[in-house]
Amino acid sequence: MKKLNVGIIGLGTVGTGVYKVLQSFKDITIKKIAVKNINKKRNIEDFDETLLTDNAYDIVNNPDIDVVIEVAGGENPAFDILKTAIQNKKHIVTANKELLAKRGNELFRIAKDNNVIILYEAAVAGGIPIIMPVKTILCANKITKIAAILNGTTNYILTKMAEKELSYETALKQAQELGYAETDPTGDVEGYDAAYKISILSTISFNKKVDINKIYREGITKITANDIIAAKELGYKIKLIAMGQVLENGKIDVRVHPMMVAKKHLLAKVGNALNSIMVTGYPVGELVFTGAGAGAEPTASSVVGDLLVLASELETTDSPLPQAICNHTEIAEQIDIGDTYNEYYIAINAGNNPGVIGIIGSICGKHNINISTIMQKGINQDNTAEITVITEKSKESDVQNALNELLKSECINKINNLLRVMS
Amino acid sequence: MKKLNVGIIGLGTVGTGVYKVLQSFKDITIKKIAVKNINKKRNIEDFDETLLTDNAYDIVNNPDIDVVIEVAGGENPAFDILKTAIQNKKHIVTANKELLAKRGNELFRIAKDNNVIILYEAAVAGGIPIIMPVKTILCANKITKIAAILNGTTNYILTKMAEKELSYETALKQAQELGYAETDPTGDVEGYDAAYKISILSTISFNKKVDINKIYREGITKITANDIIAAKELGYKIKLIAMGQVLENGKIDVRVHPMMVAKKHLLAKVGNALNSIMVTGYPVGELVFTGAGAGAEPTASSVVGDLLVLASELETTDSPLPQAICNHTEIAEQIDIGDTYNEYYIAINAGNNPGVIGIIGSICGKHNINISTIMQKGINQDNTAEITVITEKSKESDVQNALNELLKSECINKINNLLRVMS
């Protein structure tokens, strides 16, 4: 292994994990660590505070540093900092999913021009090995589909909602108290985090650059305890699924939204804060990778793993890991959510009217939607009924049109929820 | 990617899969294929029969061939053939688990002396990426435990026994009819295949050479429909588990045997012919890799994946993949099954005697075995009773001593089965 000098940008949860894990690897020397607040008390044993700087450019312009580890996150100022590092011929190891999703193509191009490499195993699914396996040992495959649980916070919330029949708000509050969710949970619960990750993963799996701005994204904030109960009764679990697939016409369907996942599906069995990624390709078939998608230590496994592979390669070549170079010149043609085909769970609140099932059936039929299950359980105290419909595979725009028409019908009060189904 | 000329040894199921998959990669040229019977009709479209030879030395001594792909299997004559290939400076890609388990250390040493590399992703768990991830992206970890389903045939048989409450014999017969089990199923059902694989996987995970001859091995042939029913009632599934772990004293515990796996455990959820590998390490925590562990196409994914990574590396260096070199100078100190600690399921046939539960309890107590569950359900027609015991963690030798003492007791007729438990 080649001896390397590294600089670390960011010393939060992940940075601290990386710092600690690196203490076991004597061929790697930490030269500098850039932080926002140089005076903040750090809870690290035998920490050498003279390593700290509040100027990341002290790292990226330092000629003694071979590799820059960026674990600060966010698009700015990370982009400019890493661009400078690359122009100074430093290899990059980063966990920054937002930066790669938004500006990855630019960075990868500059890296190629400067003959350095950007490694980012930690940017997707924390400790789970997925980027390097897709780039290396799975490279004989034509990957056609990714379906994944890529956000631990929302998986934790949904698991607790199901286990204890909690409301979303109560489960979120508990997750915040236990440190599984942030004070401002938007990035997780609205699906932004999962969207960054599936954009990166789809890009390398399908070898076409996926545009983060064209990914349909829907969070978990509208999931109710009633949906959770209906899922149980119907044999499903609700999961926030990030998916990407190549359609027969070569177009790409990438999106993030909650789904009813059949209990027998391996992704339904992944609970709490775990992440899981199902990859479908030829010739390998279906693979599932499950593990911790966040946290200091699992994420440090990926950051330090990237670094050690790099150190090992640099022992024998100045152009390490050619198979890990990202250079996606082809742009994915992404389809609109309205053009996707799915099975659907539709929760309807209707008047207690003898014709209501017939109306639902005929409106669905008119819009080319075949119903596979319909369930009404008793009558509410206010003389309304909760009706649950599961459809066969239908076009999203047809379903949206049907829902609009249903809402115009006098006996339909409300569409409580619409969820796509993975069977 | 460097253009490579390859020779393939073996054109059975896996070899045919490799041949077909390689047709898509124009930088790889198949120069020769060695087979046993050159006149056998091959079911491959547009197959060029002039590639065939019945002498593997035509490949390993051919100066035009850069890489030898060995998918014939077995220790001999594969060892001598590959040794010659390595001495002729050819890199090796192999799926041969038996060879690597028995003679890997010798081959790896010769490979090191000749500056070539042996890649063998396909030797363990078919299409599931595990060897390369352990060698590369997970290399920051100290791996302490592997628990895995590494044999698809036995997993299929056990799944069908549970689904349909079949006897072992009936399930085996059905598996043979469907091609999931071979006519002579010994290698699979007696655990030899899983033992080869866990020996390889433990060696690279713990960085100590595991001796295949010191692995405790027990197959699935003694599992009865009654065990399957008891497992269901108690909340378990029976799986053939291959495990390896590093104990606190640094000794290594590697073994293959059926286990009662708690239904909530991710390995319990892996049915049919799938394989699954749980890796526990620091800092990554627990990871689970699931997929097809056999079959032409999944195995070809791993063989061709190894080959393409090699081709990519050889573009920039003559010493490819330094991190994938195997060179285990340290020998694992493997413990005997008698010295392992486990929870146990014990199925006892006893006389319908009011004191029998007391006798079981006191003999277990005398041997330091705490019982966590004991269950007797009614009385058999012959006035005997089936008693099921689940123990807390106990030493195997204590349990064996207790069983011997139980058998000496007049009211105990028979120990129907003893299975270790994974909770």
Side-chain angles (χ1 to χ4, degrees), chain B residues 100-117:
Chain B
L100 293 176
K102 292 181 176 170
R103 313 284 297 275
N105 246 21
E106 292 167 75
L107 281 181
F108 292 129
R109 200 178 54 237
I110 306 169
K112 189 160 179 278
D113 292 344
N114 286 278
N115 195 31
V116 300
I117 193 140

Side-chain angles (χ1 to χ4, degrees), chain A residues 25 121 127 129 136-137 139-141 269 283-284 287-291 297-298 301 305-306 308-309 312-313 316-317 319 322-323, chain B residues 25 121 127 129 136-137 139-141 269 283-284 287-290 297-298 301 305-306 308-309 312-313 316-317 319 322-323:
Chain A
F25 296 93
E121 186 64 64
T136 62
I137 191 64
C139 65
N141 286 275
K269 295 167 181 176
V284 80
L287 294 172
V288 184
F289 302 76
T290 305
E297 295 174 346
S301 166
D306 271 344
L308 296 178
V309 172
S312 175
E313 287 273 297
T316 68
T317 176
S319 301
Q323 69 273 33
Chain B
F25 296 93
E121 187 65 64
T136 62
I137 191 64
C139 65
N141 285 276
K269 296 167 181 175
V284 79
L287 295 172
V288 185
F289 303 75
T290 305
E297 293 174 346
S301 165
D306 272 344
L308 295 178
V309 172
S312 176
E313 287 272 297
T316 69
T317 175
S319 300
Q323 69 272 35

Side-chain angles (χ1 to χ4, degrees), chain A residues 50-351:
Chain A
T50 65
L51 292 175
L52 293 179
T53 173
D54 56 9
N55 183 357
Y57 287 89
D58 287 350
I59 289 174
V60 298
N61 287 324
N62 183 336
D64 285 347
I65 287 176
D66 307 299
V67 180
V68 173
I69 297 175
E70 189 267 312
V71 286
E75 181 183 357
N76 295 306
F79 180 83
D80 287 333
I81 292 168
L82 291 191
K83 183 177 169 185
T84 305
I86 293 166
Q87 287 168 336
N88 288 332
K89 314 289 182 197
K90 299 185 195 314
H91 299 287
I92 307 292
V93 175
T94 179
N96 193 332
K97 62 215 79 160
E98 182 178 355
L99 175 65
L100 293 176
K102 292 181 176 171
R103 313 283 296 274
N105 246 22
E106 291 167 75
L107 281 181
F108 292 129
R109 201 179 54 238
I110 305 169
K112 188 159 180 276
D113 291 345
N114 285 279
N115 195 31
V116 299
I117 192 139
I118 303 174
L119 297 175
Y120 51 94
E121 186 64 64
V124 178
I128 303 175
I130 186 68
I131 303 294
M132 201 174 283
V134 166
K135 287 278 187 182
T136 62
I137 191 64
L138 293 173
C139 65
N141 286 275
K142 180 165 172 51
I143 297 177
T144 49
K145 185 168 181 181
I146 306 279
I149 296 169
L150 291 177
N151 182 272
T153 303
T154 47
N155 204 36
Y156 182 85
I157 292 171
L158 291 169
T159 302
K160 294 304 158 191
M161 286 178 72
E163 280 177 3
K164 303 178 184 169
E165 297 192 356
L166 301 180
S167 71
Y168 165 73
E169 290 76 15
T170 308
L172 170 62
K173 194 153 167 277
Q174 291 184 3
Q176 285 171 321
E177 284 164 5
L178 291 165
Y180 285 111
E182 294 182 44
T183 315
D184 175 1
T186 313
D188 294 315
V189 300
E190 295 293 4
Y192 290 97
D193 174 79
Y196 295 145
K197 292 168 178 169
I198 193 67
S199 125
I200 295 168
L201 199 47
S202 296
T203 296
I204 65 161
S205 298
F206 309 144
N207 280 311
K208 293 180 177 182
K209 176 64 195 158
V210 166
D211 183 347
I212 180 71
N213 299 308
K214 292 182 183 161
I215 294 180
Y216 177 81
R217 182 188 44 72
E218 189 184 311
I220 65 162
T221 57
K222 288 174 194 155
I223 306 291
T224 66
N226 281 342
D227 296 325
I228 296 279
I229 292 166
K232 265 189 203 173
E233 287 174 354
L234 294 160
Y236 295 93
K237 292 207 179 176
I238 300 179
K239 298 285 178 191
L240 182 67
I241 298 292
M243 59 182 284
Q245 55 188 336
V246 183
L247 305 178
E248 278 179 23
N249 58 14
K251 293 184 185 179
I252 309 278
D253 170 15
V254 190
R255 40 191 161 122
V256 174
H257 51 58
M259 294 187 89
M260 292 270 202
V261 182
K263 270 188 188 158
K264 66 175 194 305
H265 197 289
L266 281 176
L267 290 181
K269 295 167 181 176
V270 175
N272 294 313
L274 288 179
N275 281 19
S276 190
I277 304 160
M278 177 175 272
V279 177
T280 308
Y282 175 84
V284 80
E286 280 182 358
L287 294 172
V288 184
F289 302 76
T290 305
E297 295 174 346
T299 310
S301 166
S302 289
V303 170
V304 180
D306 271 344
L307 184 65
L308 296 178
V309 172
L310 187 57
S312 175
E313 287 273 297
L314 287 171
E315 205 185 352
T316 68
T317 176
D318 290 329
S319 301
L321 284 160
Q323 69 273 33
I325 293 171
C326 286
N327 182 29
H328 303 287
T329 47
E330 200 177 340
I331 304 293
E333 191 180 342
Q334 287 166 253
I335 64 166
D336 190 76
I337 186 72
D339 293 329
T340 66
Y341 284 79
N342 306 278
E343 294 162 60
Y344 293 85
Y345 153 90
I346 307 168
I348 300 167
N349 178 272

